[in-house]
Amino acid sequence: PTTVQLYPIAGGAKYFVSVDSCLDLYAGLGFQATKVKTKNCAEGVKQHLSKWGYGGIAKVGGYYYLSSNFFLDMFVNYSFVQAG
């Protein structure tokens, strides 16, 4: 079997729109660096490979405030990385 490990590090900015007192919507864009490690047990292929890849991330979602100390963060994100 082949195992793949991903270690992403990302940062970016979000733009917020307040819908009402308990709901804020947002959209965000950012950059992402990811360490990719693969381990292959098959013959004829490189057994260990480790490299960095770079790309971006896009996110849309919302904060729903339950109380003054708690909120739900509901979101969908898409990330892409070019490793190699």
Side-chain angles (χ1 to χ4, degrees):
T2 299
T3 59
V4 178
Q5 296 174 322
L6 302 173
Y7 302 97
I9 301 169
K14 290 181 184 174
Y15 178 77
F16 286 90
V17 175
S18 183
V19 176
D20 64 26
S21 63
C22 37
L23 180 63
D24 290 336
L25 301 178
Y26 64 82
L29 291 173
F31 59 93
Q32 179 171 307
T34 302
K35 179 77 168 187
V36 180
K37 290 179 153 185
T38 59
K39 180 180 177 184
N40 294 304
C41 297
E43 290 184 32
V45 295
K46 195 170 185 178
Q47 295 218 338
H48 296 279
L49 182 64
S50 179
K51 60 174 62 177
W52 281 95
Y54 302 95
I57 188 167
K59 180 182 281 195
V60 293
Y63 291 152
Y64 183 77
Y65 299 98
L66 302 172
S67 69
S68 61
N69 296 322
F70 295 99
F71 64 90
L72 293 176
D73 183 7
M74 300 163 283
F75 62 89
V76 175
N77 65 356
Y78 175 78
S79 64
F80 55 94
V81 173
Q82 179 70 36

PDB file of all heavy atoms in Angstrom, residues 4-5 18 80:
ATOM      1  N   VAL A   4       0.050   8.493   2.167  1.00  0.00           N
ATOM      2  CA  VAL A   4       0.319   9.897   1.874  1.00  0.00           C
ATOM      3  C   VAL A   4      -0.014  10.702   3.119  1.00  0.00           C
ATOM      4  O   VAL A   4      -1.096  10.546   3.701  1.00  0.00           O
ATOM      5  CB  VAL A   4      -0.528  10.398   0.679  1.00  0.00           C
ATOM      6  CG1 VAL A   4      -0.264  11.869   0.422  1.00  0.00           C
ATOM      7  CG2 VAL A   4      -0.252   9.576  -0.556  1.00  0.00           C
ATOM      8  N   GLN A   5       0.928  11.551   3.532  1.00  0.00           N
ATOM      9  CA  GLN A   5       0.700  12.445   4.672  1.00  0.00           C
ATOM     10  C   GLN A   5       0.810  13.878   4.173  1.00  0.00           C
ATOM     11  O   GLN A   5       1.756  14.220   3.459  1.00  0.00           O
ATOM     12  CB  GLN A   5       1.725  12.191   5.772  1.00  0.00           C
ATOM     13  CG  GLN A   5       1.627  10.817   6.372  1.00  0.00           C
ATOM     14  CD  GLN A   5       2.752  10.559   7.367  1.00  0.00           C
ATOM     15  OE1 GLN A   5       3.877  10.974   7.166  1.00  0.00           O
ATOM     16  NE2 GLN A   5       2.419   9.859   8.427  1.00  0.00           N
ATOM     17  N   SER A  18     -22.365  41.273   7.978  1.00  0.00           N
ATOM     18  CA  SER A  18     -23.267  40.988   9.085  1.00  0.00           C
ATOM     19  C   SER A  18     -24.704  40.933   8.560  1.00  0.00           C
ATOM     20  O   SER A  18     -25.218  41.899   8.012  1.00  0.00           O
ATOM     21  CB  SER A  18     -23.137  42.055  10.162  1.00  0.00           C
ATOM     22  OG  SER A  18     -23.952  41.736  11.255  1.00  0.00           O
ATOM     23  N   PHE A  80      -5.887  24.108  -3.185  1.00  0.00           N
ATOM     24  CA  PHE A  80      -5.134  23.502  -4.270  1.00  0.00           C
ATOM     25  C   PHE A  80      -3.652  23.709  -4.015  1.00  0.00           C
ATOM     26  O   PHE A  80      -3.230  24.735  -3.492  1.00  0.00           O
ATOM     27  CB  PHE A  80      -5.525  24.108  -5.626  1.00  0.00           C
ATOM     28  CG  PHE A  80      -5.411  25.607  -5.694  1.00  0.00           C
ATOM     29  CD1 PHE A  80      -4.263  26.186  -6.178  1.00  0.00           C
ATOM     30  CD2 PHE A  80      -6.449  26.397  -5.268  1.00  0.00           C
ATOM     31  CE1 PHE A  80      -4.147  27.577  -6.239  1.00  0.00           C
ATOM     32  CE2 PHE A  80      -6.347  27.788  -5.325  1.00  0.00           C
ATOM     33  CZ  PHE A  80      -5.195  28.362  -5.808  1.00  0.00           C
TER      34      PHE A  80
END
